[in-house]
Amino acid sequence: MPFGSSKAAIMGAAGAGGGIDASGGTETTYTDGGVDYKAFTFNSTGTFTVSSGGDTFDVLLIAGGGASGYNSNSGGGGAGGYREFTAQTMGAGTYAITVGAGGSSVGAEGNNSSVSQSTGSGWTTVSSTGGGRGGSGWQYDATAGGSGGGGAGSWSSAGYVAGAGNEGGYSPVEGYAGGQTTYWNGSSNGGGGAGGVGGQINPSNTSQGGAGGIGRNNNYRTGSNEKRGGGGSGSSHYTSGPTVEAGGGAGNTSSGAGGNGTANTGGGGGGNNLSSSGGYGGSGIVIIRYQV
């Protein structure tokens, strides 16, 4: 079945898994819903080898998260693009697995993740888009990405505009836009997440930054849901930063650095307040599984 099909992986259990032989990454086996699976987790770039293929491969592809913007009142970074597919055909051959790094300095976007076929035939390269950087107060706007960066805390001058999500133009979407307001009072907006838009500065309490966009659950690695793809939260001048989830970094207050996105979640970096540093993005992940 061509890549991108929405056919549920649980279908066709009688024909599932038989004769498939594959290796690569960190290998685990488990049972979920009465079905046995073998999973291959790539926390860094590597090679996936299929000695004999089949049509029951499921793929999770998350890109690296974006960093916060530079300078004071910078927005949270957007999460890396998040894509998942079920019941895909992967024929015999080798596949190059690219795990995108997170934005590794303030103002840096995340890097794409991809699965491409090096030997063999029949596979179309698939990618997810790195997260957008957060906007920088009075300097530059946030950028688009798998999920967009959050707008900075500034007035109508440069910096407050959020980045759009789903830069790859995929359906279903790979992520959402960052938050955007022109209020500030030392605070900034949250980056977009795989499951929702970034939060805005609260206009009735502008000392509170915007929360990072929520992530999404996936059970391909162990059979139990694990949430990834959270946006970085905005900074907060007077109060504790908004809570974060799914690997997004927390925005800082008037002292200390913004939190970094968690490795292998695609989480965005937390926003920056005053002269401290904003957070960096978390690296992505690729997980492939098949029915045994």
Side-chain angles (χ1 to χ4, degrees):
M1 174 169 279
F3 197 93
S5 164
S6 61
K7 187 178 94 174
I10 200 70
M11 294 179 63
I20 296 177
D21 183 18
S23 61
T26 300
E27 302 180 18
T28 56
T29 57
Y30 60 88
T31 300
D32 180 29
V35 179
D36 296 328
Y37 291 94
K38 188 171 187 178
F40 308 83
T41 300
F42 292 85
N43 291 320
S44 59
T45 294
T47 301
F48 183 56
T49 301
V50 179
S51 299
S52 57
D55 63 357
T56 60
F57 289 90
D58 302 330
V59 180
L60 173 67
L61 189 65
I62 303 177
S68 174
Y70 175 77
N71 202 15
S72 63
N73 309 117
S74 60
Y82 188 115
R83 304 184 70 193
E84 56 185 17
F85 304 89
T86 57
Q88 304 304 307
T89 298
M90 298 183 78
T94 58
Y95 297 78
I97 307 299
T98 300
V99 175
S104 58
S105 60
V106 289
E109 298 175 344
N111 294 276
N112 296 356
S113 291
S114 64
V115 178
S116 59
Q117 193 167 23
S118 302
T119 66
S121 61
W123 179 264
T124 300
T125 298
V126 292
S127 300
S128 57
T129 312
R133 72 174 185 212
S136 177
W138 300 278
Q139 289 200 347
Y140 54 71
D141 293 335
T143 61
S147 289
S154 61
W155 291 295
S156 58
S157 54
Y160 77 91
V161 177
N166 196 35
E167 188 176 25
Y170 302 116
S171 179
V173 299
E174 60 177 334
Y176 292 83
Q180 175 179 315
T181 64
T182 56
Y183 299 97
W184 71 286
N185 196 21
S187 302
S188 59
N189 300 282
V197 298
Q200 299 177 343
I201 301 169
N202 185 344
S204 64
N205 177 18
T206 57
S207 64
Q208 180 68 64
I214 62 173
R216 291 174 56 187
N217 278 314
N218 177 276
N219 69 349
Y220 290 176
R221 190 177 72 88
T222 66
S224 298
N225 277 332
E226 298 172 318
K227 187 170 277 191
R228 302 180 178 88
S233 73
S235 64
S236 306
H237 186 52
Y238 297 110
T239 62
S240 298
T243 57
V244 291
E245 61 152 44
N252 62 13
T253 55
S254 57
S255 62
N260 297 329
T262 303
N264 302 124
T265 67
N272 170 40
N273 181 271
L274 299 179
S275 59
S276 300
S277 174
Y280 303 158
S283 57
I285 193 170
V286 176
I287 301 173
I288 302 172
R289 73 173 185 178
Y290 66 86
Q291 298 179 34
V292 178

Coordinates of all heavy atoms in Angstrom, one line a residue, residues 131-208:
G131 N 10.9 22.8 13.6 CA 10.1 23.8 14.2 C 10.6 25.2 13.9 O 11.8 25.4 13.8
G132 N 9.7 26.2 13.9 CA 10.1 27.6 13.7 C 10.7 28.2 15.0 O 10.4 27.8 16.1
R133 N 11.5 29.2 14.8 CA 12.1 29.9 15.9 C 11.1 30.9 16.5 O 10.2 31.4 15.8 CB 13.4 30.7 15.5 CG 13.0 31.9 14.7 CD 14.1 32.8 14.3 NE 13.6 34.0 13.6 CZ 14.3 34.6 12.7 NH1 15.5 34.2 12.3 NH2 13.8 35.7 12.1
G134 N 11.3 31.2 17.8 CA 10.5 32.2 18.4 C 10.9 33.6 17.9 O 12.0 33.8 17.5
G135 N 9.9 34.5 18.0 CA 10.2 35.9 17.6 C 11.1 36.6 18.7 O 11.1 36.2 19.8
S136 N 11.8 37.6 18.3 CA 12.7 38.4 19.2 C 12.1 39.8 19.4 O 11.8 40.5 18.5 CB 14.1 38.5 18.5 OG 15.0 39.2 19.3
G137 N 12.1 40.1 20.7 CA 11.5 41.4 21.0 C 12.1 42.6 20.3 O 13.3 42.8 20.4
W138 N 11.3 43.3 19.5 CA 11.8 44.5 18.8 C 12.8 44.3 17.8 O 13.5 45.2 17.3 CB 12.3 45.6 19.8 CG 11.2 46.0 20.8 CD1 10.2 46.9 20.6 CD2 11.0 45.4 22.1 NE1 9.4 47.0 21.7 CE2 9.9 46.1 22.7 CE3 11.7 44.5 22.9 CZ2 9.4 45.8 23.9 CZ3 11.2 44.2 24.1 CH2 10.1 44.8 24.6
Q139 N 13.0 43.0 17.4 CA 14.1 42.7 16.4 C 13.5 41.9 15.2 O 13.7 42.4 14.1 CB 15.2 41.9 17.0 CG 16.0 42.8 18.0 CD 17.4 42.2 18.2 OE1 17.7 41.0 17.9 NE2 18.3 42.9 18.8
Y140 N 12.9 40.8 15.4 CA 12.4 40.0 14.2 C 11.2 39.1 14.6 O 11.1 38.8 15.8 CB 13.5 39.2 13.6 CG 14.3 38.2 14.5 CD1 13.7 37.1 15.0 CD2 15.6 38.5 14.8 CE1 14.4 36.2 15.9 CE2 16.3 37.6 15.6 CZ 15.7 36.5 16.2 OH 16.4 35.6 17.0
D141 N 10.4 38.8 13.6 CA 9.3 38.0 13.9 C 9.6 36.5 14.0 O 10.7 36.1 13.5 CB 8.3 38.1 12.7 CG 7.6 39.5 12.7 OD1 7.6 40.2 13.7 OD2 7.2 40.0 11.6
A142 N 8.7 35.7 14.5 CA 8.9 34.3 14.6 C 8.8 33.7 13.1 O 8.3 34.4 12.2 CB 7.8 33.6 15.4
T143 N 9.3 32.5 12.9 CA 9.2 31.9 11.6 C 8.3 30.7 11.6 O 8.0 30.1 12.7 CB 10.6 31.4 11.2 OG1 11.1 30.4 12.1 CG2 11.6 32.6 11.1
A144 N 7.8 30.3 10.4 CA 7.0 29.1 10.2 C 7.9 27.9 10.4 O 9.1 27.9 10.3 CB 6.4 29.2 8.8
G145 N 7.2 26.8 10.6 CA 7.9 25.5 10.7 C 6.9 24.4 10.7 O 5.7 24.5 10.4
G146 N 7.3 23.2 11.1 CA 6.4 22.1 11.4 C 5.3 22.6 12.3 O 4.1 22.4 12.1
S147 N 5.7 23.2 13.4 CA 4.9 24.1 14.2 C 5.6 25.5 14.3 O 6.8 25.5 14.3 CB 4.7 23.6 15.6 OG 3.8 22.5 15.7
G148 N 4.9 26.6 14.3 CA 5.5 27.9 14.2 C 5.9 28.4 15.6 O 5.4 28.0 16.6
G149 N 6.9 29.3 15.5 CA 7.4 29.9 16.7 C 6.4 30.9 17.3 O 5.6 31.5 16.6
G150 N 6.5 31.2 18.6 CA 5.6 32.1 19.3 C 6.1 33.5 19.0 O 7.3 33.8 19.0
G151 N 5.2 34.5 18.9 CA 5.5 35.9 18.8 C 6.1 36.4 20.1 O 5.8 36.0 21.2
A152 N 7.0 37.4 19.9 CA 7.7 38.0 21.0 C 6.8 38.9 21.8 O 5.7 39.3 21.3 CB 8.9 38.8 20.5
G153 N 7.2 39.3 23.0 CA 6.4 40.3 23.7 C 7.0 41.7 23.3 O 8.0 42.1 23.8
S154 N 6.2 42.4 22.5 CA 6.6 43.7 22.1 C 5.4 44.4 21.6 O 4.3 43.8 21.5 CB 7.7 43.7 21.0 OG 7.2 43.0 19.8
W155 N 5.5 45.8 21.4 CA 4.3 46.5 20.9 C 4.2 46.2 19.4 O 4.4 45.1 18.9 CB 4.5 48.0 21.2 CG 4.4 48.3 22.7 CD1 3.3 48.1 23.4 CD2 5.4 48.8 23.5 NE1 3.6 48.5 24.7 CE2 4.9 48.9 24.8 CE3 6.8 49.1 23.3 CZ2 5.6 49.3 25.9 CZ3 7.5 49.6 24.4 CH2 6.9 49.7 25.7
S156 N 3.9 47.2 18.6 CA 3.7 47.0 17.2 C 5.0 46.9 16.4 O 4.9 46.8 15.2 CB 2.8 48.1 16.6 OG 3.4 49.4 16.8
S157 N 6.1 47.1 17.0 CA 7.4 47.0 16.3 C 7.7 45.5 16.0 O 7.0 44.6 16.4 CB 8.5 47.6 17.1 OG 8.6 47.1 18.4
A158 N 8.8 45.3 15.3 CA 9.2 43.9 14.9 C 9.2 42.9 16.0 O 9.7 43.3 17.1 CB 10.5 43.9 14.1
G159 N 8.8 41.8 15.8 CA 8.9 40.7 16.8 C 7.7 40.0 17.2 O 7.7 38.8 17.5
Y160 N 6.5 40.7 17.2 CA 5.3 40.1 17.8 C 4.6 39.1 16.9 O 3.8 38.3 17.4 CB 4.3 41.2 18.3 CG 3.5 41.8 17.1 CD1 2.3 41.2 16.8 CD2 4.0 42.9 16.4 CE1 1.5 41.8 15.8 CE2 3.2 43.4 15.4 CZ 2.0 42.9 15.1 OH 1.2 43.4 14.1
V161 N 4.9 39.1 15.6 CA 4.1 38.2 14.7 C 4.6 36.8 14.9 O 5.8 36.5 14.8 CB 4.4 38.7 13.2 CG1 3.7 37.7 12.3 CG2 3.8 40.1 13.0
A162 N 3.6 35.8 15.0 CA 3.9 34.4 15.2 C 4.2 33.7 13.9 O 3.9 34.2 12.8 CB 2.7 33.7 15.9
G163 N 4.8 32.6 14.0 CA 5.1 31.7 12.8 C 3.9 30.8 12.5 O 3.3 30.3 13.5
A164 N 3.7 30.5 11.3 CA 2.6 29.6 10.9 C 3.1 28.1 11.1 O 4.3 27.8 11.0 CB 2.2 29.8 9.4
G165 N 2.2 27.2 11.3 CA 2.5 25.8 11.4 C 2.2 25.1 10.1 O 1.8 25.7 9.1
N166 N 2.5 23.8 10.1 CA 2.3 22.9 8.9 C 3.0 23.5 7.6 O 2.4 23.5 6.6 CB 0.9 22.7 8.6 CG 0.6 21.5 7.7 OD1 1.3 20.5 7.7 ND2 -0.4 21.6 6.9
E167 N 4.3 23.9 7.8 CA 5.0 24.5 6.7 C 5.1 23.5 5.5 O 5.2 24.0 4.3 CB 6.4 25.0 7.1 CG 7.1 25.8 6.0 CD 8.4 26.3 6.5 OE1 9.0 25.7 7.4 OE2 8.9 27.3 6.0
G168 N 5.1 22.2 5.7 CA 5.2 21.3 4.7 C 3.9 21.1 3.9 O 3.9 20.5 2.8
G169 N 2.8 21.7 4.3 CA 1.5 21.6 3.6 C 0.9 20.2 3.6 O 0.2 19.9 2.7
Y170 N 1.1 19.5 4.7 CA 0.6 18.1 4.7 C -0.8 18.0 5.2 O -1.3 18.9 5.9 CB 1.5 17.3 5.6 CG 3.0 17.3 5.2 CD1 4.0 17.8 6.0 CD2 3.4 16.7 4.0 CE1 5.3 17.8 5.7 CE2 4.7 16.7 3.6 CZ 5.7 17.3 4.5 OH 7.0 17.3 4.1
S171 N -1.4 16.9 4.9 CA -2.7 16.5 5.4 C -2.7 15.0 5.9 O -2.4 14.2 5.1 CB -3.8 16.7 4.4 OG -5.1 16.3 4.9
P172 N -2.9 14.8 7.2 CA -3.2 15.7 8.3 C -2.0 16.7 8.5 O -0.9 16.4 8.1 CB -3.4 14.8 9.5 CG -3.6 13.5 9.0 CD -2.9 13.4 7.7
V173 N -2.3 17.8 9.2 CA -1.2 18.8 9.5 C -0.1 18.2 10.4 O -0.4 17.3 11.2 CB -1.8 20.1 10.1 CG1 -2.8 20.7 9.1 CG2 -2.4 19.8 11.4
E174 N 1.1 18.7 10.2 CA 2.2 18.3 11.0 C 2.4 19.1 12.3 O 3.2 18.8 13.1 CB 3.5 18.3 10.2 CG 3.9 19.6 9.6 CD 5.2 19.6 8.9 OE1 6.1 18.7 9.2 OE2 5.4 20.5 8.0
G175 N 1.6 20.2 12.4 CA 1.7 21.1 13.6 C 1.0 22.4 13.4 O 0.4 22.6 12.3
Y176 N 1.0 23.2 14.4 CA 0.2 24.4 14.5 C 1.0 25.7 14.7 O 2.2 25.7 15.0 CB -0.8 24.2 15.6 CG -1.8 23.1 15.3 CD1 -1.5 21.8 15.5 CD2 -3.1 23.4 14.7 CE1 -2.5 20.8 15.2 CE2 -4.0 22.4 14.4 CZ -3.7 21.1 14.6 OH -4.6 20.1 14.3
A177 N 0.3 26.8 14.5 CA 1.0 28.1 14.6 C 1.3 28.5 16.1 O 0.7 27.9 17.0 CB 0.0 29.2 14.1
G178 N 2.3 29.4 16.2 CA 2.6 29.9 17.5 C 1.6 31.0 18.0 O 0.7 31.4 17.2
G179 N 1.6 31.4 19.2 CA 0.7 32.4 19.8 C 1.2 33.8 19.4 O 2.4 34.0 19.1
Q180 N 0.2 34.7 19.3 CA 0.5 36.1 18.9 C -0.3 37.1 19.6 O -1.6 37.0 19.5 CB 0.4 36.2 17.4 CG 0.5 37.6 16.8 CD 0.4 37.7 15.3 OE1 0.9 36.8 14.6 NE2 -0.4 38.6 14.8
T181 N 0.3 38.0 20.3 CA -0.4 39.2 20.8 C 0.6 40.4 20.8 O 1.8 40.1 20.7 CB -0.9 39.1 22.2 OG1 0.2 38.9 23.1 CG2 -1.9 37.9 22.4
T182 N 0.1 41.6 20.9 CA 1.0 42.7 21.1 C 1.2 43.2 22.5 O 1.9 44.1 22.8 CB 0.5 43.9 20.2 OG1 -0.8 44.3 20.7 CG2 0.6 43.6 18.8
Y183 N 0.5 42.5 23.4 CA 0.8 42.8 24.9 C 2.2 42.3 25.2 O 2.7 41.3 24.6 CB -0.3 42.1 25.7 CG -1.7 42.5 25.5 CD1 -2.5 41.8 24.6 CD2 -2.2 43.7 26.0 CE1 -3.8 42.2 24.4 CE2 -3.5 44.1 25.8 CZ -4.3 43.3 24.9 OH -5.5 43.7 24.7
W184 N 2.7 42.8 26.3 CA 4.0 42.3 26.7 C 4.2 42.3 28.2 O 4.1 41.4 28.9 CB 5.2 42.9 25.9 CG 5.5 44.4 26.3 CD1 4.7 45.5 26.0 CD2 6.6 44.8 27.1 NE1 5.3 46.6 26.5 CE2 6.4 46.2 27.2 CE3 7.6 44.2 27.7 CZ2 7.4 47.0 27.9 CZ3 8.6 45.0 28.4 CH2 8.4 46.3 28.5
N185 N 4.5 43.5 28.8 CA 4.8 43.7 30.2 C 5.9 42.6 30.6 O 5.8 42.0 31.7 CB 3.6 43.5 31.0 CG 3.8 44.0 32.4 OD1 4.7 44.8 32.7 ND2 3.0 43.6 33.4
G186 N 6.9 42.4 29.8 CA 7.9 41.5 30.1 C 7.6 40.1 29.8 O 8.4 39.2 30.2
S187 N 6.6 39.8 29.1 CA 6.2 38.4 28.8 C 6.2 38.2 27.3 O 6.3 39.1 26.5 CB 4.8 38.1 29.4 OG 4.9 38.3 30.8
S188 N 6.0 36.9 26.9 CA 5.9 36.6 25.4 C 5.0 35.4 25.2 O 4.5 34.8 26.1 CB 7.4 36.3 24.9 OG 7.9 35.2 25.7
N189 N 4.8 35.0 23.9 CA 3.9 34.0 23.5 C 4.5 32.7 23.3 O 5.7 32.5 23.1 CB 3.2 34.5 22.2 CG 2.5 35.8 22.3 OD1 1.4 35.9 22.9 ND2 3.1 36.8 21.8
G190 N 3.7 31.6 23.4 CA 4.1 30.2 23.3 C 4.3 29.8 21.9 O 3.6 30.2 21.0
G191 N 5.2 28.8 21.6 CA 5.4 28.2 20.3 C 4.3 27.2 20.1 O 3.7 26.6 21.0
G192 N 4.0 27.0 18.8 CA 3.0 26.0 18.4 C 3.4 24.6 18.7 O 4.6 24.3 18.8
G193 N 2.4 23.7 18.9 CA 2.7 22.3 19.1 C 2.1 21.4 18.1 O 1.4 21.8 17.2
A194 N 2.4 20.1 18.2 CA 1.9 19.1 17.3 C 0.4 18.9 17.4 O -0.2 18.5 16.4 CB 2.6 17.8 17.5
G195 N -0.1 19.3 18.6 CA -1.6 19.1 18.8 C -2.4 20.4 18.9 O -3.6 20.3 19.1
G196 N -1.8 21.6 18.9 CA -2.5 22.8 19.0 C -1.7 24.0 19.0 O -0.4 24.0 19.0
V197 N -2.3 25.2 18.8 CA -1.6 26.5 18.7 C -0.9 26.9 20.0 O -1.3 26.4 21.1 CB -2.6 27.6 18.2 CG1 -3.2 27.2 16.8 CG2 -3.7 27.8 19.2
G198 N 0.1 27.7 19.9 CA 0.7 28.2 21.0 C -0.1 29.2 21.8 O -1.0 29.9 21.2
G199 N 0.0 29.3 23.1 CA -0.8 30.2 23.9 C -0.3 31.6 23.8 O 0.8 31.9 23.5
Q200 N -1.3 32.5 24.1 CA -1.0 33.9 24.0 C -0.8 34.5 25.4 O -1.2 34.0 26.4 CB -2.2 34.7 23.4 CG -2.5 34.2 22.0 CD -3.7 34.9 21.4 OE1 -4.5 35.5 22.1 NE2 -3.8 34.9 20.1
I201 N -0.1 35.7 25.4 CA 0.0 36.5 26.7 C -1.4 36.8 27.1 O -2.3 37.2 26.2 CB 0.8 37.7 26.4 CG1 2.2 37.4 26.0 CG2 0.8 38.6 27.7 CD1 3.0 38.6 25.5
N202 N -1.7 36.7 28.3 CA -3.1 37.0 28.8 C -3.3 38.5 28.9 O -2.6 39.1 29.7 CB -3.3 36.3 30.2 CG -4.7 36.5 30.7 OD1 -5.5 37.3 30.3 ND2 -5.0 35.7 31.8
P203 N -4.2 39.1 28.1 CA -4.3 40.5 28.1 C -4.8 41.1 29.4 O -4.6 42.3 29.7 CB -5.4 40.8 27.0 CG -6.1 39.5 26.8 CD -5.1 38.4 27.1
S204 N -5.5 40.2 30.3 CA -5.9 40.7 31.6 C -4.9 40.5 32.7 O -5.0 40.9 33.8 CB -7.2 40.0 32.0 OG -7.0 38.6 32.2
N205 N -3.8 39.8 32.3 CA -2.7 39.6 33.2 C -1.4 39.5 32.4 O -0.9 38.4 32.2 CB -2.9 38.3 34.1 CG -1.8 38.0 35.0 OD1 -0.9 38.9 35.3 ND2 -1.7 36.8 35.5
T206 N -0.9 40.6 31.9 CA 0.2 40.5 30.9 C 1.5 40.1 31.5 O 2.5 40.0 30.8 CB 0.3 41.9 30.2 OG1 0.5 42.9 31.2 CG2 -0.9 42.2 29.4
S207 N 1.5 39.9 32.8 CA 2.8 39.4 33.4 C 2.9 37.9 33.2 O 3.9 37.3 33.5 CB 2.8 39.7 34.9 OG 1.7 39.0 35.6
Q208 N 1.9 37.2 32.6 CA 1.9 35.8 32.4 C 2.1 35.5 30.9 O 1.3 36.0 30.1 CB 0.5 35.2 32.8 CG 0.4 33.7 32.6 CD 1.4 32.9 33.5 OE1 1.3 32.9 34.7 NE2 2.4 32.2 32.9

